């Protein structure tokens, strides 16, 4: 269990904490008798601080995602366990939050549907490539998609502040761009690796 793998495991733990906070935060606070307060911003926006806390945890988890890969590559600590758990941790973190935000009315349900379908297709292509002894490298469009998605999620959890004060829907725009890029990059992954699917 090297440092990158420990960071990956910590991301899974943080993801679970975020899920519990977003889904059962009110129930838990009622049991322990401590209520998470809500505040007014600009006398118009009601902010539930559990989403702010979840956003902070999401940022920390996202940082571990960058660090575990960087350290593993720099110090040559890449392992099969690390590659497997890293992919699982990423999906638990992002997809679970997208589903919860959709269920709670913060984002349109089509966003998690498209992103999860795209990820399933791309992961299948990567597994097929691995079975043939090949590695499917990440494409630049996919990296841009991930950046838009992560920032869009954080801003959504932060009630699109401070942009909401000026009625600029930066969070929605970023998530929309991420969804479109998911489709385009998914098609690009398929196009670049469709030869793996064809039987000889």
């Amino acid at each position: 269990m090297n440092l990158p793998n420990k960071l990956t495991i910590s991301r899974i733990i943080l993801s679970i904490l975020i899920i519990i906070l977003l889904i059962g935060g009110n129930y838990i606070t009622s049991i322990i008798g401590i209520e998470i307060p809500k505040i007014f911003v600009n006398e118009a926006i009601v902010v539930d601080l559990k989403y702010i806390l979840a956003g902070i945890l999401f940022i920390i988890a996202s940082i571990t995602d960058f660090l575990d890969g960087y350290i593993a590559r720099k110090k040559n600590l890449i392992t099969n366990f690390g590659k497997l758990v890293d992919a699982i941790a990423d999906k638990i973190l992002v997809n679970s939050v997208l589903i919860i935000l959709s269920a709670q009315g913060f984002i349109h349900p089509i966003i998690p549907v498209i992103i999860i379908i795209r990820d399933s297709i791309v992961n299948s292509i990567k597994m097929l490539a691995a079975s043939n002894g090949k590695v499917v490298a990440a494409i630049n469009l996919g990296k841009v998609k991930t950046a838009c998605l992560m920032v869009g999620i954080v801003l959504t959890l932060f009630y699109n502040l401070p942009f909401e004060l000026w009625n600029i829907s930066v969070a929605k725009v970023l998530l929309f761009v991420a969804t479109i890029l998911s489709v385009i990059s998914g098609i690009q992954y398929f196009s670049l690796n469709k030869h793996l699917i064809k039987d000889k």
Side-chain angles (χ1 to χ4, degrees):
M1 183 62 68
N2 56 37
L3 179 57
N5 291 345
K6 289 179 180 178
L7 288 171
T8 303
I9 296 298
S10 72
R11 185 158 73 258
I12 294 177
I13 295 171
L14 286 170
S15 300
I16 294 171
L17 290 176
I18 292 170
I19 293 169
I20 293 172
L21 184 62
L22 293 178
I23 294 179
N26 295 335
Y27 178 73
I28 294 172
T29 54
S30 65
I31 293 176
I32 62 177
I34 301 175
E35 185 177 355
I36 300 177
K38 297 179 182 179
I39 61 174
F40 285 92
V41 177
N42 202 31
E43 298 183 356
I45 306 169
V46 181
V47 175
D48 189 336
L49 290 183
K50 76 176 182 181
Y51 291 100
I52 304 298
L53 180 56
I56 294 171
L57 293 177
F58 189 91
I59 292 172
I60 296 171
S62 301
I63 292 173
T64 68
D65 186 20
F66 166 77
L67 287 177
D68 62 8
Y70 175 78
I71 295 172
R73 289 188 298 271
K74 185 175 182 179
K75 297 190 175 182
N76 195 27
L77 296 174
I78 298 173
T79 63
N80 289 331
F81 173 82
K83 289 187 286 186
L84 173 64
V85 178
D86 181 67
I88 294 172
D90 290 344
K91 298 303 173 278
I92 293 175
L93 175 64
V94 176
N95 292 346
S96 61
V97 172
L98 285 175
I99 292 170
I100 293 169
L101 290 177
S102 172
Q104 296 181 350
F106 283 86
I107 63 175
H108 196 283
I110 197 63
I111 294 175
V113 168
I114 290 177
I115 289 175
I116 291 172
I117 290 175
R118 178 264 188 195
D119 285 348
S120 299
I121 294 172
V122 171
N123 288 339
S124 298
I125 292 173
K126 289 181 177 180
M127 286 190 293
L128 182 60
S131 67
N132 287 292
K134 299 180 180 179
V135 177
V136 176
I139 59 177
N140 291 331
L141 204 58
K143 294 178 181 178
V144 176
K145 180 271 299 182
T146 300
C148 290
L149 183 60
M150 303 298 260
V151 177
I153 289 174
V154 170
L155 283 176
T156 301
L157 290 169
F158 286 171
Y159 288 82
N160 192 45
L161 292 170
F163 304 104
E164 193 65 23
L165 298 175
W166 306 297
N167 293 319
I168 304 174
S169 300
V170 176
K172 290 182 179 178
V173 170
L174 286 174
L175 290 177
F176 175 77
V177 170
T179 304
I180 297 300
L181 291 180
S182 291
V183 175
I184 297 173
S185 62
I187 294 172
Q188 190 173 358
Y189 268 112
F190 178 81
S191 178
L192 291 172
N193 299 281
K194 60 184 178 181
H195 62 281
L196 297 173
I197 301 173
K198 296 180 180 180
D199 292 326
K200 294 181 181 180

